[in-house]
Amino acid sequence: MELYENITVPEATIIQKKLRTELDVADRSLNIETIAGADISLNLYSTTIYAGIIVLSFPALLPIAYSLVQAETRFPYVPGYLAFREVPALVKVWEQLQIKPSVLVVDGHGIAHPRRMGIAAHFGTLTGQASMGCAKNILFGKYEAPAPEFGAYSAIYDKQEQIGFAFRSKAKTAPVYISPGHGMGLQNSLDIIKQCTGKYRIPEPTRLAHELVNKFRRGEIKKGYHVT
């Protein structure tokens, strides 16, 4: 049976609460040799999912390998529960990936989520992989806008609890929203993204993953595992 194939939203909530008890978001010393970006493409109400992970050297950020999968989902679109649509495909991509990265950056949220279970946190606790989220839009929490220059950042809070950062990855553009998923802390996630930003707003791991998945969706590259 496919992961999360026939579950209800109340059952999904129970799963999120259980996974939350397994979260580890303490800061630590990380020895990062490779970093990967993960991206998923699907229409809001479509059942077809295109998922990809690209592994890069670190800190050079040069592509090493990538994995692509097309999958189907039966879980409905429900805000706050997108991981149940996307994680099964991401797990398939992960299992196919022969080179596992030191850190995985997911296009989405980590603990910056009402139940601390964004896709990066969900995937990380499920697989044990060190992971973090880097999203283009905020899902949950409040923050003050960071200064307009590159590298500025401000904390995202849920009441008194910090759950992430708004980070100015490019001067005078909207920030990206970063938060730890599992196996790392808030400061770790900020430090990592600082080393992954280039001339674009979207940091290299997820930017390259997004490009890869779009090419796959257009039929320009094939599914499977590939070494670059």
Side-chain angles (χ1 to χ4, degrees), residues 43-57:
N43 292 330
L44 200 59
Y45 301 108
S46 171
T47 61
T48 303
I49 294 178
Y50 301 86
I53 295 176
I54 186 167
V55 182
L56 312 173
S57 62

Side-chain angles (χ1 to χ4, degrees), residues 65-125:
Y66 62 90
S67 173
L68 295 163
V69 160
Q70 181 178 335
E72 297 292 319
T73 180
R74 291 179 176 82
F75 194 86
Y77 170 76
V78 182
Y81 294 87
L82 296 187
F84 291 91
R85 285 171 63 80
E86 300 176 351
V87 162
L90 201 56
V91 168
K92 288 183 178 180
V93 174
W94 180 256
E95 290 173 344
Q96 187 175 256
L97 192 67
Q98 296 177 26
I99 300 174
K100 299 295 194 279
S102 308
V103 170
L104 178 69
V105 185
V106 184
D107 180 14
H109 295 277
I111 63 169
H113 179 279
R115 290 169 299 282
R116 308 299 183 263
M117 269 292 131
I119 185 171
H122 192 127
F123 180 84
T125 52

Side-chain angles (χ1 to χ4, degrees), residues 12-27:
T13 302
I14 292 170
I15 291 170
Q16 286 183 334
K17 289 179 178 178
K18 180 182 182 299
L19 289 174
R20 183 173 177 174
T21 66
E22 302 170 15
L23 268 179
D24 178 3
V25 288
D27 279 302

Side-chain angles (χ1 to χ4, degrees), residues 83-226:
F84 291 91
R85 285 171 63 80
E86 300 176 351
V87 162
L90 201 56
V91 168
K92 288 183 178 180
V93 174
W94 180 256
E95 290 173 344
Q96 187 175 256
L97 192 67
Q98 296 177 26
I99 300 174
K100 299 295 194 279
S102 308
V103 170
L104 178 69
V105 185
V106 184
D107 180 14
H109 295 277
I111 63 169
H113 179 279
R115 290 169 299 282
R116 308 299 183 263
M117 269 292 131
I119 185 171
H122 192 127
F123 180 84
T125 52
L126 196 65
T127 62
Q129 168 63 28
S131 59
M132 63 167 292
C134 182
K136 295 181 282 294
N137 300 295
I138 194 162
L139 171 70
F140 181 72
K142 295 182 179 180
Y143 69 98
E144 293 185 3
E149 65 266 16
F150 166 76
Y153 61 90
S154 59
I156 302 171
Y157 286 99
D158 174 19
K159 298 177 182 177
Q160 303 302 314
E161 180 185 357
Q162 186 179 352
I163 55 175
F165 291 99
F167 176 70
R168 196 78 71 183
S169 53
K170 187 177 181 181
K172 299 179 182 178
T173 62
V176 293
Y177 303 93
I178 61 180
S179 58
H182 178 70
M184 68 174 65
L186 284 160
Q187 190 62 47
N188 290 144
S189 64
L190 179 62
D191 291 344
I192 287 167
I193 291 301
K194 283 181 177 179
Q195 296 178 75
C196 292
T197 48
K199 60 182 180 178
Y200 302 97
R201 176 190 173 221
I202 307 304
E204 287 299 280
T206 47
R207 187 185 73 83
L208 293 174
H210 180 72
E211 285 188 352
L212 186 74
V213 170
N214 279 347
K215 288 180 180 178
F216 176 43
R217 188 170 184 168
R218 293 194 298 265
E220 297 173 16
I221 48 180
K222 295 182 178 180
K223 66 180 180 180
Y225 173 74
H226 306 266

